[in-house]
Amino acid sequence: MAVSEYQVTGMTCGHCEMSVREEVGEIAGVTGIDVSAQTGKLVVTASDEVDDAKVLAAVEEAGYQAERA
Amino acid sequence: MAVSEYQVTGMTCGHCEMSVREEVGEIAGVTGIDVSAQTGKLVVTASDEVDDAKVLAAVEEAGYQAERA
């Protein structure tokens, strides 16, 4: 199991969190997602190490910017 | 045609606008909806005069508070 943490900017509400959750949840191997619009913190748990580029692309697809924390 | 204006509090982003739009759009007779998270302004156009209570209830259903402007 691997846990990766990212900092997301631009989320303002629960809908935004849900958008990020949906996109990141589509990445193969992801088993858990913890995301907060308030702090911008995104924690992704996966069965194996996730590709940061995939997570960042998923967040961008949802409409926000992220970087590895 | 009747145009009614409301002030909505609590919307922060486009997702919020969409939630309000969806709920208000379910009211019979509504033909147009203009909503802005930035100003909180909600303008409802309907074929006939809409019932304010229905609009306020729809906004509340979406998760926000509104009052007739």
Side-chain angles (χ1 to χ4, degrees), chain A residues 12-13 15-16 19 62 64, chain B residues 12-13 15-16 19 62 64:
Chain A
T12 56
C13 70
H15 298 118
C16 299
S19 296
Y64 310 95
Chain B
T12 57
C13 71
H15 298 118
C16 299
S19 296
Y64 310 95

Side-chain angles (χ1 to χ4, degrees), chain B residues 16-37:
Chain B
C16 299
E17 294 173 350
M18 208 181 306
S19 296
V20 169
R21 188 178 289 278
E22 280 174 9
E23 291 295 337
V24 174
E26 289 178 5
I27 301 170
V30 169
T31 55
I33 299 164
D34 189 31
V35 60
S36 164

Side-chain angles (χ1 to χ4, degrees), chain A residues 33-52:
Chain A
I33 298 165
D34 190 30
V35 60
S36 164
Q38 199 173 0
T39 63
K41 198 167 147 182
L42 167 65
V43 181
V44 179
T45 309
S47 49
D48 208 341
E49 194 70 41
V50 285
D51 183 349
D52 284 341

